[in-house]
Amino acid sequence: MSKEYVNSICGMCSVRCPIKVEVVDGKAQYIQGGKALKGSLCPRGAAGTALTYDEERPQHPMIRTGERGEGKWKQVSWDEALDYVADKIKEIQEKHGKDSILFSDRGGPFRDHYRAFLRGIGTVNYNNHDSACARNVQNAALSVFGFGRKGVSYDFGNCKHIVLQQRNVMEAINVAECNNVLNALDKGAKLTVIDIRANVPATKADNFFMIRPGTDYAFNLAVLNVLINEKLYDKDFVAKWFDGLDDLKAFVQQYTPEWAEQETGIKAESIVAFCRELAEAAPSVIWHPGWMTARYGDSFWMTRMIYLTNALLGAIGAKGGLPFMGKPGDAGAKGLQSFMNLYPKPEGKRVDGIGWMEGRKHYDAGPGLVNLAYDAIVSGEPYPIKAYICHRHDPLMAFPDVDDVKAMWKNLELLVVPTFSWSDTAWFADVVLPISPFLERDSIIMTKNGPKPGFVMRKRAMEPVYDTKAIWEIYSGLAKRFGLDEIAFDKVEDLWKFQLEGTGYTIEDFAETGSVSLASEAIYKPITDQTFKTPSGKVQVFDKKLEEDGLQSLLPYKSPEFPPADKFRITFGRCALHTQGHTVNNSLLFERMPENTLWINTDKAKAMGVETGDTLNVSNNGYSAEIKAFVTDFIHPDAVFMIHGFGHTLPCESRAKGRGAADNQLMPKGIKKYDKGGGAISMQEHFVTVSKS
């Protein structure tokens, strides 16, 4: 028996934690966290072996033979699949133009190679999944700081007061962040959680504010009212680096804690006490701006107020607060060489209108808004989209109303899905290109920005079980067919050598831990005149770009809609055991959590004669599903809640099929309902009927 350990990177969610894989006789047997995590890992990461050995994942390239979604496929070779895709793309581009190709992914640090491919074939239409996640946060950061949300990091380990609002750090897990939060709490830091239900962080909180759904913006306005009127802000920071305090002060005067109590249900005296606690801990305060903020119509402005609050407290750039993200150059190092720089940036206008269309000029153009790009598939305006590469992305699970989204795709001539697991989108595709799961694939080297920036390498722990390929292999194969020889590689070592050229590091430097650290100590960059990329060079209350797009930097608050009689606002979220819908059919994780439940308030349940474990029917939009009740005091009575990603219908998923309910099916034509400030879909602005089965 031979045994070895391989340092790599987890791929069970988008965090990509470092891992150490035990390999016995060429097969991965056990996964633990890497050296930086001292062995700790979340349950999803630990279940990575079940993904590799899953007989129900895509095992070979396939081309559709029946109708879309019918499940009739022809198994083909990789050459046949890649020839087919390349020939169709060339045909479509010749007829409809270079930009007629749409691409979306789940973002992340491994994009550089395939984004170079997109540049090479000339399409401007790269998108990611973020309109169903954190796009409001990205655009809020841009509107306040002039740089995006990843321009700051979160120094949880040195923080004195952590505020979690629309960020569930202990269930939507980043292992390092989770550990740092727990360490901070052990050292005496306070934790405040603002949510419509008591999630896991709420059970550890000093302050838990169970807020009325849809009123987060009201709460944040009242906090600003107290901080400003009681002069609890960092006067030195504000004098140097904050532009617009007087205007902000005038705006929030009407939003008193007493007013907020009526809106949110949070007592006025609790809001005031909370503000004073923040001021006491400042500047070592982190009010997290949120992750999945695709919730309400004003979530962008909610997040703007979070960033402005952090700034008022002097937490921006501060130790224990939100220090500026360290990059290789900040450590005196040279960054990785980019494949994208091999080709010019396409000059076309984005099909989603980002950056040029009225009302859409203020959005971040980098990954755009794929939900708006779908309109062009339907209308052909401003030009037609005829091919869609949906890379490791499942819009039919992520976006509201499956049938509505499918109808928007009707005019596509080609839908290609590179994926390592079955999904609703893959099942609907014309071509499935199976990606090797993370234990079976190498990836391009990633840059890990942060207090201690570095480079991290994913090495395959074992050979592929089935006829699958690494992502770089798939796009190298396509690149060859387009004559893009500069990015057509046969060996991963050649990719790595290209990336490391000029850095002073070699592949051998990654042998011991799988990573290279570029800084021995945490980097805390001081604020300079060049820090904030705004016209004033300061944190800005008023955003000229936003205003020129016909939107208000300071949006007057509007009360949310109450649930109609006998209905509930549908809300959803994450848990530690599953990554959206991607892991529901994983045998190990299915065993621990085979279906979701419907959280319902005790008083509401009592009136309906419902107890925990009873089967309920939840319905809207012509969709209904049976789901078991979880009755609790710790959810707001206006809402019901379920974990996202269940309610699978695919025949190829024997475990997940028919288990639980799909929240996205309860949101009729919801893709059209989006936050105009930040661009994210407003997915918790829908109401459902609940009855006892």
Side-chain angles (χ1 to χ4, degrees):
M1 181 181 74
S2 65
K3 181 187 290 188
E4 64 174 326
Y5 294 90
V6 179
N7 293 299
S8 192
I9 303 171
C10 184
M12 292 295 283
C13 80
S14 60
V15 173
R16 301 172 183 87
C17 295
I19 55 173
K20 184 177 181 179
V21 186
E22 181 181 292
V23 182
V24 178
D25 292 337
K27 294 185 176 182
Q29 297 290 332
Y30 179 73
I31 308 171
Q32 60 181 319
K35 183 178 180 181
L37 299 179
K38 300 179 180 179
S40 58
L41 200 61
C42 81
R44 288 169 287 174
T49 52
L51 171 61
T52 277
Y53 301 122
D54 185 4
E55 296 180 353
E56 295 186 347
R57 63 177 170 92
Q59 299 177 10
H60 40 252
M62 287 175 289
I63 297 176
R64 176 176 61 84
T65 58
E67 296 297 317
R68 278 188 181 145
E70 193 177 3
K72 293 182 178 179
W73 305 96
K74 176 176 69 172
Q75 179 180 338
V76 297
S77 68
W78 273 101
D79 279 340
E80 185 176 349
L82 295 178
D83 284 344
Y84 182 88
V85 171
D87 289 346
K88 288 290 289 183
I89 290 175
K90 290 175 183 177
E91 176 188 323
I92 288 168
Q93 286 189 312
E94 183 175 350
K95 184 176 180 180
H96 299 287
K98 295 289 187 181
D99 292 323
S100 60
I101 312 301
L102 178 67
F103 185 101
S104 68
D105 66 5
R106 291 191 52 78
F110 298 119
R111 301 173 295 161
D112 187 56
H113 184 248
Y114 61 73
R115 289 195 66 184
F117 168 74
L118 296 177
R119 282 194 175 187
I121 66 172
T123 180
V124 72
N125 290 309
Y126 165 75
N127 297 82
N128 69 15
H129 74 298
D130 220 23
S131 57
C133 193
R135 196 69 339 209
N136 284 334
V137 186
Q138 172 69 5
N139 285 311
L142 283 168
S143 77
V144 171
F145 305 131
F147 55 72
R149 66 188 180 100
K150 294 183 180 179
V152 293
S153 58
Y154 307 103
D155 191 10
F156 287 117
N158 294 305
C159 190
K160 295 179 181 177
H161 197 139
I162 300 165
V163 185
L164 300 178
Q165 183 180 31
Q166 300 191 11
R167 173 70 180 104
N168 186 347
V169 75
M170 294 173 189
E171 293 181 270
I173 295 177
N174 176 317
V175 175
E177 285 191 354
C178 188
N179 288 346
N180 287 336
V181 168
L182 293 172
N183 290 338
L185 298 183
D186 285 344
K187 293 190 293 184
K190 288 184 179 294
L191 174 62
T192 295
V193 174
I194 307 157
D195 206 295
I196 60 98
R197 68 176 184 118
N199 53 25
V200 171
T203 67
K204 304 180 186 303
D206 299 273
N207 306 307
F208 169 49
F209 299 132
M210 191 162 69
I211 196 166
R212 176 186 162 205
T215 66
D216 291 77
Y217 183 42
F219 181 91
N220 295 5
L221 290 172
V223 168
L224 285 166
N225 176 291
V226 175
L227 291 176
I228 294 172
N229 287 335
E230 293 196 4
K231 294 182 170 57
L232 298 176
Y233 53 86
D234 186 322
K235 298 173 184 60
D236 183 58
F237 182 96
V238 169
K240 293 179 180 178
W241 304 113
F242 196 96
D243 182 40
L245 178 64
D246 290 342
D247 293 317
L248 182 61
K249 179 179 180 179
F251 176 73
V252 300
Q253 286 310 299
Q254 62 183 307
Y255 303 120
T256 65
E258 291 74 21
W259 165 84
E261 180 175 344
Q262 299 304 310
E263 282 292 319
T264 67
I266 311 302
K267 291 187 178 300
E269 56 266 30
S270 297
I271 296 174
V272 173
F274 166 61
C275 293
R276 291 170 181 168
E277 289 177 358
L278 289 179
E280 184 179 349
S284 297
V285 171
I286 299 172
W287 191 327
H288 200 288
W291 261 15
M292 208 302 286
T293 59
R295 304 193 186 204
Y296 310 123
D298 59 10
S299 289
F300 164 79
W301 285 275
M302 175 209 77
T303 303
R304 273 200 105 232
M305 297 308 111
I306 292 175
Y307 279 129
L308 291 174
T309 300
N310 279 310
L312 287 176
L313 294 168
I316 304 300
K319 183 176 182 178
L322 288 77
F324 302 110
M325 190 69 80
K327 298 181 179 180
D330 298 312
K334 185 178 183 297
L336 296 173
Q337 188 166 227
S338 171
F339 299 105
M340 289 177 67
N341 290 339
L342 293 171
Y343 303 103
K345 184 177 180 180
E347 296 180 355
K349 291 183 177 180
R350 293 187 57 89
V351 78
D352 54 17
I354 308 305
W356 64 273
M357 190 178 291
E358 291 298 323
R360 302 181 185 180
K361 294 179 182 178
H362 70 284
Y363 295 130
D364 176 19
L369 294 169
V370 73
N371 50 309
L372 300 182
Y374 294 164
D375 291 338
I377 303 174
V378 178
S379 68
E381 298 295 335
Y383 51 82
I385 291 292
K386 292 296 182 179
Y388 184 16
I389 302 174
C390 203
H391 175 91
R392 289 188 59 250
H393 181 203
D394 186 12
L396 296 183
M397 176 64 74
F399 290 144
D401 196 340
V402 171
D403 289 341
D404 183 50
V405 178
K406 285 181 178 178
M408 297 179 80
W409 294 353
K410 184 178 179 181
N411 292 334
L412 287 174
E413 297 176 13
L414 179 67
L415 176 59
V416 181
V417 178
T419 182
F420 56 78
S421 61
W422 279 112
S423 67
D424 288 351
T425 304
W427 194 253
F428 194 67
D430 301 319
V431 182
V432 173
L433 302 177
I435 299 172
S436 300
F438 67 96
L439 291 175
E440 305 168 42
R441 74 174 184 264
D442 306 296
S443 297
I444 64 173
I445 300 170
M446 63 174 266
T447 299
K448 183 72 172 177
N449 295 326
K452 294 182 179 180
F455 304 138
V456 189
M457 180 182 286
R458 172 185 278 151
K459 292 183 178 180
R460 65 173 56 172
M462 56 182 285
E463 292 300 310
V465 175
Y466 303 116
D467 187 17
T468 60
K469 288 187 179 293
I471 292 167
W472 69 266
E473 291 177 303
I474 293 173
Y475 289 97
S476 287
L478 287 172
K480 288 178 183 178
R481 288 159 172 81
F482 282 86
L484 304 174
D485 296 338
E486 302 89 347
I487 57 170
F489 293 91
D490 294 317
K491 297 188 299 182
V492 73
E493 290 81 7
D494 292 335
L495 277 91
W496 293 340
K497 288 176 182 177
F498 173 89
Q499 290 182 280
L500 292 170
E501 186 177 330
T503 65
Y505 293 98
T506 66
I507 295 172
E508 289 71 30
D509 292 320
F510 294 82
E512 185 176 348
T513 64
S515 63
V516 168
S517 180
L518 304 178
S520 56
E521 300 292 336
I523 298 171
Y524 293 96
K525 296 189 289 185
I527 301 176
T528 71
D529 291 337
Q530 305 301 313
T531 297
F532 300 111
K533 311 303 181 184
T534 59
S536 65
K538 300 178 181 181
V539 175
Q540 63 181 15
V541 171
F542 282 98
D543 177 12
K544 184 179 179 181
K545 289 183 179 179
L546 198 62
E547 302 281 339
E548 289 178 346
D549 251 347
L551 298 166
Q552 295 170 283
S553 300
L554 297 174
L555 181 73
Y557 177 80
K558 182 180 179 181
S559 295
E561 183 181 355
F562 282 102
D566 301 322
K567 289 196 174 186
F568 299 84
R569 184 182 292 267
I570 181 65
T571 67
F572 61 89
R574 296 279 298 277
C575 70
L577 282 162
H578 285 295
T579 304
Q580 291 97 25
H582 305 309
T583 60
V584 176
N585 203 55
N586 180 292
S587 60
L588 291 176
L589 297 174
F590 175 85
E591 181 181 310
R592 303 300 300 168
M593 185 180 178
E595 59 190 358
N596 54 0
T597 58
L598 192 73
W599 288 46
I600 185 168
N601 179 268
T602 302
D603 292 338
K604 292 283 189 176
K606 185 176 180 181
M608 296 168 61
V610 170
E611 297 181 355
T612 292
D614 286 349
T615 300
L616 301 177
N617 184 279
V618 58
S619 62
N620 194 28
N621 189 33
Y623 169 83
S624 65
E626 290 191 338
I627 184 171
K628 291 179 181 177
F630 175 68
V631 178
T632 175
D633 293 343
F634 296 105
I635 184 170
H636 196 281
D638 284 3
V640 289
F641 170 90
M642 65 178 71
I643 297 296
H644 173 70
F646 287 82
H648 289 213
T649 61
L650 302 184
C652 56
E653 295 184 307
S654 65
R655 292 174 288 273
K657 183 183 177 184
R659 304 300 291 263
D663 57 271
N664 64 316
Q665 287 286 66
L666 298 163
M667 306 167 189
K669 298 189 182 300
I671 199 168
K672 297 293 188 183
K673 186 180 291 189
Y674 70 97
D675 185 324
K676 301 304 185 292
I681 298 169
S682 304
M683 290 196 279
Q684 299 193 5
E685 297 278 18
H686 300 268
F687 300 94
V688 298
T689 300
V690 178
S691 60
K692 192 173 180 180
S693 294

